[in-house]
Amino acid sequence: MAGAQQQPPYLHLAELTASQFLEIWKHFDADGNGYIEGKELENFFQELEKARKGSGMMSKSDNFGEKMKEFMQKYDKNSDGKIEMAELAQILPTEENFLLCFRQHVGSSAEFMEAWRKYDTDRSGYIEANELKGFLSDLLKKANRPYDEPKLQEYTQTILRMFDLNGDGKLGLSEMSRTEAATSTSTSWMPC
């Protein structure tokens, strides 16, 4: 049974939801530092290769070191030897990328602070789940992305799980600014 828990989720699927993507991220970023690196990266690459072979996708080389080097050249856009969340979204077949929508519509620090003030409706200094849901709803409307209530709830909960560092169910300014930073490293995710 313990082996089943160690199995990375969903790498074999044709398309991942936001929640599935987050599960994969948390599985491989075992130390929670915001990167898949070192042994985590080796484990991710081995599991990805297994999933690709299972789906009939074969590599050009059989040498693990060569394949991993080729993989990193292709996906490690900033060449830091680590995979960041934005880079992982390029690797995996993610269904949608509402984080990129956030990045495209809140590009500068001034725009970020303007969005913060708009959605912190009770001026508590936090974006609570209902305020975050309103933000995501407006963002998806602005981007002409169809969604329904269950999908909006999934997005809201996914953002909270990703960025609510202290687990209080709301995002503080430092946590919310982390969402902007996490999405600023890449603009090649699925467009809004």
Side-chain angles (χ1 to χ4, degrees):
M1 194 75 162
Q5 287 182 334
Q6 295 301 317
Q7 184 69 358
Y10 311 118
L11 285 180
H12 62 284
L13 294 179
E15 192 170 74
L16 300 170
T17 67
S19 294
Q20 291 167 332
F21 176 84
L22 181 61
E23 281 185 50
I24 290 170
W25 177 260
K26 286 185 175 185
H27 177 82
F28 287 104
D29 181 21
D31 61 7
N33 71 347
Y35 301 99
I36 298 175
E37 59 189 339
K39 188 66 177 166
E40 296 168 338
L41 185 58
E42 287 179 31
N43 292 339
F44 170 74
F45 185 73
Q46 287 173 338
E47 293 300 329
L48 184 62
E49 282 291 295
K50 284 181 195 173
R52 287 180 171 176
K53 283 180 184 172
S55 67
M57 296 173 61
M58 299 304 282
S59 267
K60 296 174 189 165
S61 171
D62 285 335
N63 181 302
F64 181 79
E66 285 178 25
K67 287 194 284 188
M68 188 145 171
K69 183 179 177 181
E70 180 183 310
F71 172 83
M72 290 302 286
Q73 285 174 340
K74 184 174 181 179
Y75 293 108
D76 183 17
K77 299 300 182 190
N78 60 3
S79 301
D80 64 357
K82 309 177 233 184
I83 296 295
E84 299 171 13
M85 191 175 285
E87 292 166 334
L88 184 64
Q90 295 172 26
I91 297 165
L92 299 178
T94 307
E95 134 189 282
E96 70 277 304
N97 192 335
F98 55 93
L99 290 177
L100 178 60
C101 294
F102 179 85
R103 175 67 183 139
Q104 287 177 337
H105 296 290
V106 186
S108 71
S109 294
E111 289 170 324
F112 174 79
M113 288 309 297
E114 184 180 324
W116 178 267
R117 286 188 292 274
K118 179 179 178 184
Y119 291 97
D120 180 17
T121 55
D122 61 2
R123 303 293 180 244
S124 66
Y126 296 94
I127 302 286
E128 285 90 5
N130 64 326
E131 293 167 331
L132 179 59
K133 191 174 177 181
F135 167 74
L136 293 172
S137 174
D138 290 350
L139 184 63
L140 291 165
K141 286 176 192 169
K142 185 175 181 179
N144 288 328
R145 304 256 337 200
Y147 67 93
D148 56 15
E149 186 60 30
K151 188 57 80 176
L152 183 59
Q153 187 63 30
E154 177 189 351
Y155 291 164
T156 302
Q157 292 307 309
T158 299
I159 290 283
L160 283 172
R161 287 193 314 252
M162 290 170 86
F163 298 105
D164 180 13
L165 300 177
N166 62 7
D168 63 0
K170 55 189 175 185
L171 298 177
L173 186 56
S174 64
E175 293 168 324
M176 192 68 174
S177 65
R178 189 170 173 234
T179 66
E180 195 273 332
T183 59
S184 66
T185 59
S186 170
T187 56
S188 63
W189 289 8
M190 186 177 287
C192 290

